Amino acid sequence: MGSFIILGIGTVLTVLFLTLLFKGAAYDDLIEPLDSDAFPMKFLYSAGFALQNTKLLRLRGKLGARLRDSASLYYGKKFGEFYARAVWAQALSFVLASLALMFLVAGFFSGDNCMFFALVGVALAVLAAYYFLTYSDGELKKRRAACEGELPNAISKLALLVNSGATLHEAWKMVAFGKEGVIYELMRRSCEAMENGRAEIDSLYDFGVWSNSPDVKKFTSALIQSIERGGGELPIFLANQSGELWSQHRQRLLQKGEQAASALLMPIALMFVGVMLIVIASALQSFSL
């Protein structure tokens, strides 16, 4: 009897999912440009976009605010709302698809097997929702770490160019387009903003925000203050910042080395215990002989 109920639920969920896919076809043009790495199986997202039109599953509250903030930081403020909705549609689509598929499969079994597959469906739905709703946060952490690792080198180049006579705008552009990397990509984005008419100070501020790094934000704030004071001491300021950032970078590497050494203590201790057990076992065996 339980398997028939599970099969019925799976059938209803499958029909609902297919209906939503059909109703959400109007969003296909919006879904097509999404990156396939961050948005796998995006052909399913039509169902999620259609579900968002219902009052119950509309993107709002604390979750909506968090997704919009993360999307604005990661993809840019201009596209924050769209990508927040895309992530929400992604999560809804995978949750519904997981439940529909696994409940259908579970319905063809009986007893413990039926409940097992049903629980697997629920677990997959929960894991899918958690993974997709936290994906942007994880990518922002990776971006922050990458920016902090590349910042000293980028500022050293910037200081060298400014001390050689280039203006800040020229030096910034040369550094941005001179190498590949996360921080250079963000610098290029700020260059594009300047070329589109955004003020230099505002573009530098946006660069700090996009990085999601306290170190980068601290540098851009100090740089903006130097510019507002007239920029006469800009070469000295950049040289000092370069030295300070390299010092911080070395300290950070030393801390990571200490953490790595601490993490190795447990495996080494386990290996030592294992070796001692083997030695003791061999000794006991020789005595018994």
Side-chain angles (χ1 to χ4, degrees):
M1 183 66 179
S3 61
F4 286 108
I5 295 175
I6 295 295
L7 181 61
I9 295 173
T11 303
V12 170
L13 291 175
T14 302
V15 172
L16 174 63
F17 183 73
L18 295 175
T19 303
L20 290 169
L21 274 180
F22 177 77
K23 289 182 64 176
Y27 296 97
D28 288 347
D29 291 338
L30 294 175
I31 296 170
E32 184 59 32
L34 293 173
D35 180 25
S36 298
D37 292 332
F39 296 92
M41 301 178 69
K42 56 187 178 182
F43 60 89
L44 299 176
Y45 300 173
S46 300
F49 274 105
L51 272 174
Q52 289 186 52
N53 291 328
T54 62
K55 187 176 181 181
L56 180 63
L57 295 174
R58 193 173 300 155
L59 186 60
R60 56 189 174 184
K62 292 182 179 180
L63 176 61
R66 185 175 66 80
L67 287 179
R68 289 184 177 94
D69 289 342
S70 297
S72 296
L73 280 175
Y74 191 69
Y75 297 103
K77 192 173 182 179
K78 181 179 179 181
F79 304 103
E81 178 65 26
F82 167 70
Y83 277 102
R85 292 192 63 194
V87 170
W88 184 229
Q90 181 184 47
L92 291 175
S93 299
F94 272 91
V95 166
L96 184 56
S98 300
L99 291 174
L101 176 63
M102 296 310 298
F103 272 54
L104 270 182
V105 172
F108 290 100
F109 293 88
S110 59
D112 293 340
N113 289 331
C114 175
M115 291 305 300
F116 171 76
F117 283 105
L119 290 174
V120 168
V122 174
L124 285 175
V126 172
L127 289 173
Y130 176 79
Y131 174 78
F132 292 121
L133 293 177
T134 58
Y135 178 82
S136 294
D137 294 332
E139 291 301 302
L140 284 171
K141 289 180 181 178
K142 292 179 183 177
R143 174 189 283 181
R144 179 177 62 195
C147 286
E148 290 175 350
E150 296 168 348
L151 182 62
N153 189 40
I155 302 310
S156 293
K157 293 178 181 178
L158 193 66
L160 181 62
L161 290 168
V162 171
N163 277 281
S164 299
T167 65
L168 177 63
H169 181 77
E170 292 170 343
W172 189 272
K173 191 171 183 179
M174 283 189 280
V175 173
F177 289 91
K179 188 178 179 181
E180 292 299 321
V182 175
I183 198 168
Y184 301 103
E185 180 183 340
L186 297 180
M187 291 177 74
R188 289 194 289 272
R189 190 193 293 184
S190 66
C191 287
E192 292 173 2
M194 294 179 200
E195 291 173 359
N196 291 330
R198 190 161 177 78
E200 184 177 68
I201 289 177
D202 293 335
S203 298
L204 293 174
Y205 175 79
D206 290 340
F207 165 73
V209 172
W210 294 332
S211 70
N212 195 39
S213 164
D215 290 347
V216 179
K217 290 178 182 178
K218 180 181 176 182
F219 165 74
T220 53
S221 297
L223 179 59
I224 289 170
Q225 291 175 8
S226 179
I227 294 172
E228 289 176 340
R229 287 196 297 265
E233 299 178 355
L234 188 59
I236 299 174
F237 163 77
L238 289 173
N240 292 337
Q241 283 290 308
S242 176
E244 183 180 338
L245 288 169
W246 276 115
S247 177
Q248 292 177 0
H249 185 63
R250 285 192 293 270
Q251 289 295 325
R252 192 177 291 114
L253 290 177
L254 287 173
Q255 290 174 1
K256 288 182 178 180
E258 292 173 358
Q259 291 173 0
S262 300
L264 288 172
L265 287 176
M266 182 59 70
I268 291 173
L270 291 174
M271 290 175 63
F272 177 75
V273 171
V275 171
M276 292 299 297
L277 289 175
I278 293 172
V279 171
I280 293 171
S282 300
L284 292 174
Q285 187 176 10
S286 64
F287 283 128
S288 64
L289 294 175

